[in-house]
Amino acid sequence: MTETSSGQIPVGIIGGTGLTELDGLEIVGEQRMDTPWGAPSDVLVHGRYGHQPVVFLARHGNPHRIPPHQVNYRANLWALREAGVETVVAVNAVGGIHADMGPARVVIPDQLIDYTWGRPSTYFEGELEQTTHIDFTYPYTAEVRRSLVRAARDRGIACSDFGTYAATQGPRLETAAEIVRLERDGCHLVGMTGMPEAVLAAELKMNYGCLALVVNWAAGKADHIITMEEIEAAIDEGMADIKQVLAGSMEALGALSSQSS
């Protein structure tokens, strides 16, 4: 297990759309890595967020250039683990399906359904000695979710502490009929990067949680088509809350990493 000079295990933060950089992060170095699965999306940024060491990775690169279906999720998670990360917070921009999950709402989902296809989605392939099946009943680590919810409530940030995340292929947005189907399936949110990221973290035995920001109503849930202008406005409005939740959860997430090791 890799620890910092202070003996603390770093917390990993994967930043999605709207979070290619992290305000308040005291950067101490950058690490360019390669993995058996290729190169991650960007350099790993090592730093301190308050008193907690962190490793930050921009999921789509910085600048934002890699579409959701072409992100090298295997390399990203592998690189974070090699950097000593045991606990990961994934920040995701999503569309809102549930009536309470409108633009700029913070959501900490507890379930997901995978509708993606063709993405490399496991480390357990190739010339294996045996087939490996992991339990994925609960895709998000309960302790990570509790830490994020507690941080939001302590800071008076309105958040939804439940939600089933529908992971779709992208990079296009969904049709109104597809959203009807997802809602019928029990989904509350829709995004393009939730899988296979979550299952890869589980295969690596990493603690993993999703901190989602709703950036638009899903297709057909508003009386107008979705525009980049409204998405950018929701990001501008809600990203400050996301950063507050991250800052407020670091101590608890750092302690969780220490327990896991």
Side-chain angles (χ1 to χ4, degrees):
M1 181 58 55
T2 303
E3 297 184 353
T4 64
S5 58
S6 64
Q8 294 174 285
I9 297 170
V11 171
I13 301 172
I14 301 177
T17 301
L19 190 66
T20 54
E21 298 177 331
L22 192 59
D23 298 339
L25 176 64
E26 178 188 348
I27 297 175
V28 299
E30 295 184 347
Q31 182 179 11
R32 191 169 298 279
M33 293 187 68
D34 198 8
T35 79
W37 313 99
S41 297
D42 210 328
V43 296
L44 303 184
V45 179
H46 292 257
R48 300 190 68 83
Y49 206 17
H51 298 292
Q52 174 61 41
V54 301
V55 180
F56 178 78
L57 175 61
R59 183 187 289 113
H60 300 279
N62 186 14
H64 188 288
R65 67 186 186 280
I66 305 172
H69 66 296
Q70 292 187 323
V71 171
N72 192 338
Y73 297 95
R74 289 193 293 190
N76 285 354
L77 272 297
W78 192 274
L80 287 170
R81 192 194 67 167
E82 288 298 296
V85 169
E86 282 290 312
T87 299
V88 175
V89 177
V91 178
N92 298 82
V94 298
I97 299 174
H98 189 279
D100 293 337
M101 298 179 186
R105 180 78 171 187
V106 174
V107 184
I108 298 146
D110 59 347
Q111 275 296 336
L112 65 78
I113 301 177
D114 187 10
Y115 299 91
T116 65
W117 49 269
R119 301 182 181 189
S121 58
T122 182
Y123 296 110
F124 299 126
E125 63 181 22
E127 297 181 6
L128 302 174
E129 294 183 2
Q130 64 181 25
T131 300
T132 302
H133 304 283
I134 66 162
D135 178 77
F136 201 50
T137 305
Y138 302 104
Y140 304 115
T141 306
E143 292 85 353
V144 176
R145 292 190 63 256
R146 281 195 290 267
S147 297
L148 295 172
V149 171
R150 187 181 308 116
R153 290 176 175 167
D154 287 348
R155 282 155 179 74
I157 295 169
C159 77
S160 297
D161 62 356
F162 72 95
T164 296
Y165 180 124
T168 58
Q169 181 68 1
R172 67 167 178 84
L173 298 173
E174 298 73 33
T175 68
E178 287 170 332
I179 294 302
V180 170
R181 174 202 176 192
L182 297 182
E183 188 168 24
R184 187 170 60 243
D185 285 352
C187 299
H188 305 101
L189 305 165
V190 58
M192 302 174 190
T193 55
M195 284 289 286
E197 197 173 87
V199 73
L200 294 170
E203 288 187 351
L204 294 176
K205 297 181 169 56
M206 303 170 82
N207 303 309
Y208 181 90
C210 171
L211 178 59
L213 177 66
V214 180
V215 298
N216 58 274
W217 284 112
K221 289 294 178 179
D223 59 1
H224 58 273
I225 65 170
I226 301 166
T227 67
M228 286 308 301
E229 288 77 13
E230 71 171 303
I231 289 174
E232 290 166 0
I235 290 172
D236 289 343
E237 180 181 350
M239 197 52 67
D241 288 343
I242 291 292
K243 292 173 181 178
Q244 282 199 60
V245 174
L246 286 173
S249 63
M250 282 298 108
E251 183 177 352
L253 295 175
L256 174 62
S257 296
S258 297
Q259 294 166 11
S260 301
S261 65

